[in-house]
DNA sequence: CTGAAAGCGCTTACAG
DNA sequence: CTGAAAGCGCTTACAG
């Protein structure tokens, strides 16, 4: 249970071999200046030879570092509890690394308000964190923030959606195109040749919601590749209110009675489910996104058949851990981590820990 | 970046308030004997009041503890690379906790040989580990080992399969019954009323492979509950050689031409896929278990449609981390952790990190 | 450019 | 039953 006494490692041993003090060894280890090139090389050679790995616990303890990570993500809203899952993952990670002197500060913005994003971003920067986790929902605003973060050379992790070429440490989230293909594959099992399939995009900001179209592209690609000839229709709805969606949707369905499957490109699939339920359309296969309570309820009542889900909790958890691993030099951090694309049904949702 | 100087916590502060030495405080914290009831209570009161949490890093550093975890799992075999996934998860966890003085020792057994299990188990015990991770594939042999482990009061984690009432710290693995239900649900989307469905159990030790039957029960339950009247057939094959399986299977298929879907209750689904491919039966929906290379290949060629998978890598990872969290008192450990039941298809296998 | 000393928050003998 | 001292493997001023 005790370490063997004979081990000759650590800064002391290096200092002994190099004939210097441990202070100088420490300077070399951390690349601090004020060491002659000569002794530097001598020490580095010994470090190599001994394959020396500094004891992280001792280093942490001695340095008394206390780091703060700032996170900026959407607030949990009435409309959706989606963001509670990443938040839970973040909290779990925060609890695990608290003992290493990391504290996490939370900033939230309203998905309906770019202003709230900017305000929260300013507060975040004022708090002078040592690392940042960001869900960059508003693209332009995020890019402005990212620029400031870059000027401070702070490590930055994106979750949930990516911004290209932003020098961020890592992105952890979904690959949208492929999830659209998967949705198409699932639908393809259950439909006949003559059936039509409807894709529904619902967003108050359709123009900027390129995510939805990326999924739709993947969706169509699958049918193309598979040589399926089913007619694929698209319905873009620029509102999220039930009545508006209802009007649009019923219009489509009445002119296209052969629609046998609907793909909703985001978590608003519960709105469509509600409408289908109301009008007693049980025979239409419905598939959408995200493990939300509302969606799960329709999974149970079988109005929704499949939900595609990309581990929101794990995104938050891994985002924080990536910053931690980077700052504490625990391990390398991957530039992009694409989440598995999970399929949730009535028969496996119980064990999905989001 | 530095901790505030004014914080008055830690053993020193407790000692100061209680008017004792830090040695005595340490004795109380760790419930060691040799402290008068009086001072013990006094110190405990202060600990309560200060909500004192010992600094794990300092404690680890000072105690110079070096713990070894022993794992006993099946070796990766020619027949299946399944066990490479839990092993990878274990190795990942081992790398992460190495810095906390934990080393992991590996023992492997041959799934064809109970003898090899017993030999490896003996070696494991001789190495005097501080905690054990076990995949208890052989039930009786495992129970004997578990008894010895219990006598040594070592923490024990099961992965992959459970043994009831064994006082183990935790079980991390699948819930079989529900995965059978899921398989049935997936099949139900793609079949017609008149179609027959075949369940295939393949094992050299069918009698003791209660896992398979548990899945089959769940499978049947789904059809029952859903009021589906499809005829459900079962084929038990007591051999794993291709020719034997081929003979049995072709027999079934020729007498029941209405079979439109096959559920293989374990990872040997690739054997069935090979046979179906050989005999050009593309129209039968095939579903089975596990993210093995062989199985993925048939997923790609569309001979297999769905694979059900229960995160073998994560099982290994979580198993080790559970022991770590328990011994280092990081957090509570759950008695049973059921893995999510993942559905793998041609369109999402790329992002499944097993 | 370098060294010696103090200290991080604990644990561990040892002495009484 | 209790205390004083040394030490874990580092980092951090401070002095030269």
């Amino acid at each position: 249970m005790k370490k063997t006494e004979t081990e000759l490692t650590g800064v002391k041993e290096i200092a002994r071999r190099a004939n210097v003090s441990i202070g100088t060894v420490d300077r070399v280890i951390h690349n601090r200046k004020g060491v002659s090139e000569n002794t530097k090389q001598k020490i580095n050679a010994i470090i190599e030879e001994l394959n020396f790995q500094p004891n992280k616990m001792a280093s942490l303890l001695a340095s008394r570092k206390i780091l703060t990570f700032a996170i900026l993500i959407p607030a949990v809203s009435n409309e959706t509890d989606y963001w509670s899952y990443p938040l839970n993952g973040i909290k779990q990670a925060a609890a695990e690394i608290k003992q290493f002197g990391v504290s996490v500060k939370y900033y939230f913005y309203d998905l309906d308000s770019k202003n709230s994003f900017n305000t929260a971003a300013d507060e975040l920067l004022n708090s002078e964190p040592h690392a940042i986790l960001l869900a960059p929902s508003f693209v332009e605003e995020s890019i402005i923030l990212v620029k400031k973060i870059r000027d401070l050379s702070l490590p930055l992790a994106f979750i949930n959606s990516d911004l290209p070429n932003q020098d961020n440490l890592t992105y952890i989230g979904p690959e949208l195109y492929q999830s659209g293909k998967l949705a198409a594959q699932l639908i393809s099992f259950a439909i006949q040749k003559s059936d039509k399939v409807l894709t529904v995009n619902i967003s108050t900001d359709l123009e900027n919601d390129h995510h939805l179209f990326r999924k739709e592209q993947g969706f169509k690609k699958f049918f193309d590749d598979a040589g399926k000839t089913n007619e694929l229709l698209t319905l873009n709805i620029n509102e999220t209110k039930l009545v508006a969606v209802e009007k649009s949707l019923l219009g489509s369905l009445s002119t296209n009675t052969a629609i046998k499957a609907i793909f909703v490109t985001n978590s608003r699939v519960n709105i469509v489910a509600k409408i289908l339920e109301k009008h007693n359309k049980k025979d239409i296969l419905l598939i959408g996104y995200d493990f939300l309570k509302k969606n799960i309820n329709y999974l149970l009542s079988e109005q929704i058949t499949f939900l595609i889900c990309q581990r929101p909790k794990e995104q938050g958890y891994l985002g924080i851990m990536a910053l931690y691993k980077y700052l504490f030099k625990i391990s390398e951090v991957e530039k992009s981590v694409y989440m598995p694309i999970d399929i949730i049904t009535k028969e496996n949702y119980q064990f999905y820990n989001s």
Side-chain angles (χ1 to χ4, degrees), chain A:
Chain A
M1 194 104 167
K2 293 286 152 44
K3 273 181 190 156
T4 52
E5 330 268 318
T6 45
E7 269 183 73
L8 293 173
T9 53
V11 284
K12 269 188 199 165
E13 174 64 11
I14 296 170
R16 195 185 62 77
R17 295 201 191 196
N19 240 295
V20 296
S21 73
I22 59 170
T24 301
V25 173
D26 192 68
R27 287 181 189 100
V28 173
I29 290 172
H30 298 290
N31 255 312
R32 288 194 215 98
K33 53 177 60 179
V35 185
S36 77
E37 194 55 34
N38 210 337
T39 58
K40 189 171 172 178
Q41 285 186 4
K42 190 163 56 174
I43 291 172
N44 271 137
I46 298 171
I47 287 176
E48 283 274 311
E49 193 192 332
L50 258 40
N51 192 232
F52 169 71
Q53 301 283 113
N55 181 317
K56 215 127 273 163
M57 293 181 309
S59 142
L60 247 32
L61 185 61
S63 69
R64 281 154 289 176
K65 256 185 216 160
I66 165 137
L67 300 177
T68 56
F69 291 2
I71 68 142
L72 179 56
I73 61 174
V76 180
S77 71
N78 287 332
E79 200 212 342
T80 162
D81 53 334
Y82 178 81
W83 283 98
S84 67
Y85 296 102
L87 184 59
N88 280 340
I90 289 165
K91 284 183 176 168
Q92 191 190 317
E96 285 183 20
I97 62 179
K98 191 183 163 194
Q99 59 183 319
F100 303 118
V102 179
S103 74
V104 175
K105 280 201 157 188
Y106 299 89
Y107 300 88
F108 300 102
Y109 59 91
D110 188 339
L111 272 173
D112 298 333
S113 156
K114 295 181 179 176
N115 253 331
S116 73
F117 179 92
N118 291 331
T119 311
D122 285 345
E123 282 177 35
L124 180 153
L125 289 174
N126 282 334
S127 77
E128 300 190 357
H130 303 96
I132 293 163
L133 178 75
L134 174 65
S137 304
F138 299 124
V139 175
E140 287 170 35
E141 289 71 13
S142 294
I143 288 177
I144 294 170
L145 172 60
V146 168
K147 195 170 288 172
K148 293 178 189 165
I149 293 171
R150 200 184 306 134
D151 288 344
L152 298 164
S153 3
L154 295 178
L156 170 64
F158 291 140
I159 62 167
N160 195 253
S161 64
D162 202 5
L163 295 177
N165 311 317
Q166 293 297 322
D167 263 0
N168 53 106
L169 175 67
T170 186
Y171 163 67
I172 294 161
E175 208 292 291
L176 304 167
Y177 185 76
Q178 192 61 35
S179 78
K181 286 187 77 176
L182 178 64
Q185 189 198 20
L186 292 173
I187 283 179
S188 76
F189 293 125
I191 57 172
Q192 309 299 118
K193 280 183 183 165
S194 55
D195 293 342
K196 294 182 182 179
V197 179
L198 178 68
T199 298
V200 182
N201 300 309
I202 307 173
S203 170
T204 51
D205 193 17
L206 269 182
E207 272 175 53
N208 292 311
D209 225 338
H210 51 283
H211 295 176
L212 307 189
F213 299 111
R214 190 90 189 107
K215 294 173 188 169
E216 190 180 353
Q217 282 166 15
F219 190 79
K220 289 185 169 156
K221 181 75 160 88
F222 177 87
F223 280 91
D224 262 15
D225 287 353
K228 304 254 177 195
T229 55
N230 301 273
E231 191 176 338
L232 303 181
L233 308 165
T234 299
L235 182 60
N236 291 319
I237 306 177
N238 226 317
E239 295 185 67
T240 59
K241 294 231 175 67
L242 181 72
V243 280
V245 177
E246 186 170 17
K247 199 176 154 207
S248 283
L249 184 65
L250 291 181
S252 275
L253 292 179
S254 62
T255 48
N256 293 285
T257 51
I259 290 175
K260 283 294 183 296
I262 297 178
F263 172 46
V264 182
T265 51
N266 62 15
S267 64
R268 298 205 171 85
V269 59
N270 59 78
I271 302 175
V272 174
K274 191 165 195 169
I275 295 163
L276 293 181
E277 186 183 54
K278 181 175 165 189
H279 296 277
N280 228 322
K281 298 193 183 291
K282 271 266 175 196
D283 52 326
I284 295 180
L285 180 84
L286 181 58
I287 176 167
Y289 281 83
D290 295 340
F291 197 91
L292 310 187
K293 287 193 194 96
K294 281 182 192 171
N295 290 349
I296 296 298
N297 285 338
Y298 286 113
L299 209 57
L300 292 178
S301 69
E302 300 187 2
Q303 193 63 247
I304 294 177
T305 298
F306 294 110
L307 288 171
I308 291 177
C309 197
Q310 303 220 228
R311 306 195 189 175
K313 182 175 167 190
E314 200 169 331
Q315 290 181 33
Y317 179 85
L318 292 177
I320 293 291
M321 292 312 264
L323 296 173
Y324 159 73
K325 286 178 182 172
Y326 173 77
L327 282 176
F328 287 82
K329 301 193 173 66
I330 303 277
S331 62
E332 295 293 304
V333 172
E334 279 180 88
K335 185 82 179 74
S336 302
V337 179
Y338 294 113
M339 289 288 102
I341 310 173
D342 294 324
I343 304 163
I344 310 299
T345 81
K346 189 184 180 182
E347 299 299 341
N348 73 352
Y349 84 96
Q350 316 94 307
F351 295 124
Y352 196 68
N353 53 16
S354 312

